[in-house]
């Protein structure tokens, strides 16, 4: 069965209460429930995880990449700061779709740079939580990662 890991970084556990004008009213639990339901419908095993700790995200990316699972990654603020996450993606051969709920390019200047974008298969920004669904669709249209 095809495996997709949905990994969320720092502060995404606060969705629904953190800046709803930017991130919307949906909670992380809402996103995870939607991803699991979509996985069941499509016959895909979806694993959802969130951490505020960079090293934990690095470990999960390595595990996914080394096992051949695909990754949907919203690295949050680590997008703009983490060489370690970039190196985990590249080193483990993980196929990753980078997702951002907001349009980071329409926000503060520091959000315009991503350390991980150069090593991912694609980027989805600014479509709210629909970006996660779009990422699943994109991954399923690609050949399985091996």
């Amino acid at each position: 069965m095809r495996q997709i890991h949905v990994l969320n970084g720092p502060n995404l556990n606060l969705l629904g209460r953190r800046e709803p004008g930017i991130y919307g009213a949906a909670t992380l639990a809402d996103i995870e429930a939607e991803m699991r339901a979509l996985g069941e419908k499509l016959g895909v095993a979806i694993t959802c995880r969130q951490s505020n700790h960079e090293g934990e995200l690095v470990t999960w990316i390595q595990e996914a990449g080394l096992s051949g699972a695909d990754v949907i990654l919203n690295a949050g603020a680590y997008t703009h700061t983490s060489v370690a996450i970039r190196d985990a993606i590249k080193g483990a051969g993980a196929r990753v779709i980078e997702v951002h709920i907001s349009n980071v390019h329409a926000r503060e200047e520091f959000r315009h740079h991503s350390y991980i974008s150069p090593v991912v298969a694609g980027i989805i920004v600014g479509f709210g939580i629909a970006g996660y669904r779009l990422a699943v669709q994109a991954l399923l249209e690609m050949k399985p990662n091996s």
Side-chain angles (χ1 to χ4, degrees):
M1 177 181 282
R2 189 95 177 247
Q3 301 269 332
I4 298 175
H5 294 227
V6 179
L7 305 179
N8 285 285
N11 299 310
L12 290 160
N13 56 307
L14 298 177
L15 286 174
R17 83 169 61 171
R18 176 185 176 216
E19 299 179 85
I22 293 174
Y23 298 107
T27 66
L28 184 59
D30 295 334
I31 294 168
E32 291 176 347
E34 184 174 331
M35 289 297 92
R36 288 186 182 103
L38 183 59
E40 284 182 30
K41 177 182 172 187
L42 298 174
V44 177
I46 305 266
T47 300
C48 297
R49 293 174 166 167
Q50 185 277 330
S51 181
N52 292 319
H53 303 282
E54 183 179 28
E56 197 160 37
L57 291 164
V58 166
T59 297
W60 294 339
I61 291 164
Q62 290 175 355
E63 289 172 356
L66 294 172
S67 72
D70 293 317
V71 176
I72 297 169
L73 175 63
N74 185 338
Y78 288 138
T79 302
H80 321 293
T81 64
S82 182
V83 174
I85 288 175
R86 178 209 181 279
D87 288 351
I89 293 167
K90 190 163 173 95
R95 181 169 44 207
V96 176
I97 302 289
E98 178 182 346
V99 171
H100 298 284
I101 294 168
S102 69
N103 180 353
V104 293
H105 302 289
R107 296 183 62 197
E108 303 93 339
E109 181 71 28
F110 72 87
R111 295 185 195 276
H112 298 184
H113 179 265
S114 168
Y115 278 98
I116 63 177
S117 292
V119 296
V120 299
I123 306 158
I124 299 172
V125 300
F127 292 99
I129 66 168
Y132 291 89
R133 290 190 304 275
L134 294 168
V136 170
Q137 180 181 344
L139 287 169
L140 293 180
E141 291 183 16
M142 297 175 183
K143 281 177 51 177
N145 202 6
S146 52

